[in-house]
Amino acid sequence: MILNSIRNSEELQRGAIEWLEKARARLRKIEIEADQFRVNGYSEIEREKFNLINSTYKSLDQLENYKNETIHFEQQRAINQVRQRVFQQDLQVALGTLNSCLNKELHLRTISANIGMFGAMKEITD
């Protein structure tokens, strides 16, 4: 009976050792999978970080282009406004000159007409 008890205990011990070894093997497998998951997770995070940085640089480049286009547009608009003002001033000067010339011409014609009328009146009175 003691011998049977020892045999049963040894059998139970072997079963427990096998179960423990299987559990250790499963634990090692799970630890390896966890390490792979961590490595893959870190790789994914690094990939996402890289993509975000690239996207940010592209956005910054686009903003820089928009800024430069806006500056160029505003410069052209300012140049056109200056040209328009200069043209208007030139037109005003030309109009003033033309009016002055026309006034002188009108004045000379008026004097000439008056001289003609006085000459005619003198002839009538003579």
Side-chain angles (χ1 to χ4, degrees):
M1 176 125 149
I2 293 178
L3 194 55
N4 280 340
S5 289
I6 292 174
R7 284 186 196 144
N8 284 340
S9 292
E10 287 175 351
E11 240 179 80
L12 288 173
Q13 182 184 11
R14 279 190 295 261
I17 290 172
E18 284 178 25
W19 183 84
L20 184 59
E21 286 174 1
K22 287 179 185 178
R24 283 182 183 156
R26 279 184 282 167
L27 179 60
R28 279 192 297 269
K29 182 180 174 186
I30 289 171
E31 285 174 342
I32 290 170
E33 287 176 359
D35 287 342
Q36 288 175 344
F37 184 74
R38 262 188 244 112
V39 167
N40 290 340
Y42 290 138
S43 296
E44 183 65 26
I45 288 170
E46 287 299 315
R47 207 171 12 259
E48 288 296 322
K49 184 172 91 174
F50 178 77
N51 289 339
L52 181 61
I53 290 170
N54 281 343
S55 174
T56 302
Y57 278 121
K58 286 178 185 177
S59 295
L60 286 174
D61 285 343
Q62 286 177 340
L63 287 173
E64 183 70 20
N65 289 339
Y66 293 152
K67 180 190 82 169
N68 291 337
E69 288 174 10
T70 301
I71 289 170
H72 179 72
F73 174 78
E74 291 298 326
Q75 286 173 339
Q76 288 301 314
R77 192 172 82 159
I79 289 169
N80 288 336
Q81 286 176 346
V82 168
R83 284 180 181 160
Q84 186 178 12
R85 287 183 187 143
V86 167
F87 183 68
Q88 286 173 344
Q89 289 172 352
D90 288 346
L91 282 177
Q92 287 175 349
V93 168
L95 185 60
T97 303
L98 184 60
N99 281 336
S100 174
C101 289
L102 288 176
N103 287 339
K104 287 178 186 175
E105 180 67 26
L106 181 61
H107 186 65
L108 288 175
R109 285 187 182 183
T110 303
I111 291 172
S112 180
N114 287 339
I115 290 172
M117 284 187 344
F118 287 131
M121 287 173 69
K122 184 177 179 190
E123 287 178 8
I124 294 174
T125 56
D126 284 343

